[in-house]
Amino acid sequence: MLDLIKYVVEQFAEDKANIEYKVEETDEAVNVTVLLSDSDMGKVIGKQGKIAKALRTLVRYATPKGSKKYNLEIREKSEE
């Protein structure tokens, strides 16, 4: 699933070398945090969050039944 997230994010981001992915796994879910540079935030999130919402929907439906739920968060690197 992380490969799918990476593929979609890298299609929109210009500064691909500066993208970080943090994965935290709990009993119920897998939390994926994508850390981007300030210049790529708008491109990856999209107007009114449409790209981010579509990515979350894609991840939700690509997750096999019975497996852990994936939560996706997109953040700016300076917020860490």
Side-chain angles (χ1 to χ4, degrees):
M1 190 61 59
L2 186 59
D3 292 334
L4 174 66
I5 294 169
K6 286 181 180 181
Y7 176 77
V8 174
V9 168
E10 289 177 3
Q11 296 304 307
F12 294 100
E14 289 182 3
D15 189 10
K16 293 171 180 45
N18 209 9
I19 301 173
E20 290 182 34
Y21 301 91
K22 291 188 179 183
V23 180
E24 296 175 10
E25 196 166 337
T26 64
D27 291 337
E28 301 94 27
V30 177
N31 300 315
V32 180
T33 304
V34 180
L35 299 169
L36 300 166
S37 62
D38 183 40
S39 62
D40 283 337
M41 285 295 291
K43 295 176 186 101
V44 174
I45 292 175
K47 286 187 180 180
Q48 298 177 351
K50 288 183 181 180
I51 295 172
K53 183 178 178 184
L55 179 57
R56 287 185 181 107
T57 301
L58 186 63
V59 168
R60 184 172 63 239
Y61 286 109
T63 304
K65 279 191 174 183
S67 67
K68 294 182 180 183
K69 179 181 173 184
Y70 276 78
N71 297 317
L72 179 64
E73 185 177 355
I74 301 170
R75 297 172 69 186
E76 192 174 322
K77 268 194 174 181
S78 62
E79 290 180 9
E80 277 295 300

